[in-house]
DNA sequence: CGTCCATTTGATCAGGGTCAAGACGAGTGG
DNA sequence: CCACTCGTCTTGACCCTGATCAAATGGACG
């Protein structure tokens, strides 16, 4: 097994402010792992045996209800932590994480969490900051779900995605991984049918360009207006 | 100004595992404050000049959208922290907090947060645990909003409230502070009209007893079934 | 070339929001 | 003590958003 180089993680937000020697010490305990598209990094309800850093790819975090409905909690981008149940005082994962594309992650045994938090206070603080901002995001989402109707919610979801993972192309800003109508529906609490209708309507207005598992936003500003609900309904 | 006694906070979850001397040291920096019903503890968007512990009463945490719609994020019970924006790396409050009844809080200047977290690691850890469990709760709420229809959401909301603040009375388990139909609507993303209709329907079935700014659940188990959606629709 | 998904699109319909009006109570001031 | 007012709650009527049901189309891939 090859040694993991410090440059893999130096400069990533979770490790900000850490001494190089400490990075090495953390890496010495990590295992790098490849996750094929559509494979799970971890599963809801499983014992939280590890926590992860996404090095490359994109991961969908999904909650499944007792009756089988799914909700996409968030997408994880490279450089972000996931599966940090231990940091929340949990012993079990509250959601599943599935690779949206082929991914590479670093995995640390979960029982190391307390040691790490104590030995590398910056790492601990960075993690808690992450948890805090995820709480913010999630509360914002509750407000959206409670007050906005579907069109605005879907617009907001797309804007967040291009903000988080957008890549400039000739078609506009493309969401950088395969995403289906169903996925967008599961992010916004609607159905794939409604998402499909919205996207075709927006495509007719020249706001987006979309295809099979692919969405690009050509007029982000216009979409923003729509998301904020201050737009004359043509 | 009278000295604050250690017994005020000893035994409360945020201070678990702290040495008595440290409790005293924290209390020496605290100011106790009375908040009248309907007064704000702090306001959304204001600079986070302090963080608080609720000693007595009940506080509503509210987010207001740009167009004036309100969403109740959570209710705070005695012994819980609130306004911990600093712990999340924020300099401004993300929501407002309003006293649902006359309240007593302890307030600490916000700039003390980093000192406290460093000097009293148990306090820091307890706080982060709180943040973590609030993240859990909020995500659960997103799932509910995305997958359940109004009746089940309202049922869930009532169950959480009686669980958190229920007091046994002859009418059943009473929510221990004045709560209007409008409030329940703002917790569940619906309208006071729909809440009213649901409550009268449930009252007819003998599940709840409600009045002006008052709700008591007489058949929690039945309501639970309803919340979980496995109930023959009469 | 055939199969499997993702997507589109139409038709229907109901949950629950909106609009409107009143009833009920609690507190206030005369 | 009573009349009045204001805020909460109830209830009916209507209608719209978006879910559901159904079917067809179109790529992608083996």
């Amino acid at each position: 097994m090859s040694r993991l180089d410090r440059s893999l993680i130096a400069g990533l937000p979770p490790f900000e402010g850490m001494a190089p020697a400490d990075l090495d010490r953390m890496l010495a305990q990590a295992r790098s792992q490849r996750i094929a598209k559509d494979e799970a990094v971890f599963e809801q309800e499983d014992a939280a045996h590890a926590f992860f850093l996404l090095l490359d790819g994109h991961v969908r975090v999904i909650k499944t209800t007792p009756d089988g409905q799914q909700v996409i909690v968030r997408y994880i981008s490279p450089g972000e932590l996931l599966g940090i149940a231990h940091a929340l005082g949990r012993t079990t994962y509250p959601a599943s994480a599935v690779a949206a594309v082929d991914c590479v992650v670093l995995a640390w045994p979960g029982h190391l969490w307390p040691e790490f938090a104590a030995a590398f206070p910056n790492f601990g603080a960075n993690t808690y900051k992450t948890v805090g901002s995820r709480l913010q995001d999630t509360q914002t989402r509750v407000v959206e779900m409670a007050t906005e109707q579907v069109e605005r919610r879907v617009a907001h979801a797309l804007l967040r995605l291009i903000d988080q993972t957008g890549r400039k192309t000739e078609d506009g800003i493309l969401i950088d991984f395969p995403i289906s109508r169903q996925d967008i529906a599961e992010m916004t609490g609607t159905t794939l049918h409604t998402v499909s209708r919205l996207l075709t309507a927006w495509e007719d207005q020249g706001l987006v360009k979309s295809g099979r598992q692919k969405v690009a936003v050509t007029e982000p500003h216009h979409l923003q207006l729509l998301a904020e609900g201050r737009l004359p309904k043509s």
Side-chain angles (χ1 to χ4, degrees), chain A:
Chain A
M1 173 184 167
S2 70
R3 197 60 128 314
L4 297 168
D5 191 273
R6 180 195 304 160
S7 67
L8 274 175
I9 62 171
L12 296 181
F15 307 100
E16 208 158 87
M18 285 181 67
D22 287 344
L23 294 180
D24 288 342
R25 242 174 290 162
M26 281 194 69
L27 279 172
Q29 316 247 43
R31 185 168 47 85
S32 84
Q33 191 179 347
R34 205 177 147 280
I35 312 276
K37 182 176 148 122
D38 293 328
E39 258 180 31
V41 183
F42 53 83
E43 298 270 12
Q44 186 170 344
E45 310 297 334
D46 277 5
H49 61 283
F51 60 94
F52 305 86
L53 173 78
L54 181 61
L55 285 177
D56 189 55
H58 287 279
V59 170
R60 244 196 317 277
V61 179
I62 300 174
K63 278 196 148 232
T64 305
T65 64
D67 59 318
Q69 290 183 85
Q70 297 196 329
V71 174
I72 296 182
V73 174
R74 68 172 12 91
Y75 276 93
I76 303 289
S77 298
E80 290 188 78
L81 295 171
L82 69 157
I84 46 180
H86 283 284
L88 314 183
R90 292 193 49 118
T91 58
T92 184
Y93 296 116
S96 301
V98 176
V101 295
D102 289 352
C103 288
V104 180
V105 301
L106 289 184
W108 285 273
H111 63 80
L112 290 181
W113 172 261
E115 290 177 38
F116 280 7
F120 315 123
N122 278 321
F123 176 69
N126 293 335
T127 305
Y128 288 125
K129 203 167 227 167
T130 298
V131 174
S133 76
R134 287 185 188 175
L135 175 57
Q136 296 298 315
D137 294 347
T138 311
Q139 284 182 347
T140 301
R141 212 164 141 202
V142 167
V143 172
E144 280 183 17
M145 302 264 309
T147 63
E148 300 179 355
Q149 40 193 67
V150 172
E151 182 175 48
R152 292 179 55 188
R153 297 209 303 268
V154 173
H156 268 131
L158 291 188
L159 287 168
R160 264 195 297 268
L161 285 172
I162 64 171
D163 197 52
Q164 192 186 348
T165 76
R167 216 190 63 219
K168 271 211 130 94
T169 69
E170 58 208 15
D171 287 340
I173 305 171
L174 177 74
I175 296 173
D176 205 17
F177 50 82
I179 184 168
S180 70
R181 310 292 185 260
Q182 176 70 34
D183 292 332
I184 298 173
E186 287 176 5
M187 297 180 70
T188 52
T190 180
T191 62
L192 77 164
H193 308 277
T194 298
V195 173
S196 176
R197 284 185 239 268
L198 284 172
L199 285 180
T200 54
W202 290 343
E203 186 132 18
D204 292 348
Q205 297 170 49
L207 298 186
V208 304
K209 231 156 214 250
S210 73
R212 189 191 178 83
Q213 308 216 82
K214 152 178 169 317
V215 179
V217 178
T218 52
E219 294 287 350
H221 183 64
H222 195 162
L223 195 63
Q224 180 78 41
L225 291 178
L226 217 161
E228 285 167 12
R230 40 197 184 76
L231 201 70
K233 61 188 75 223
S234 64

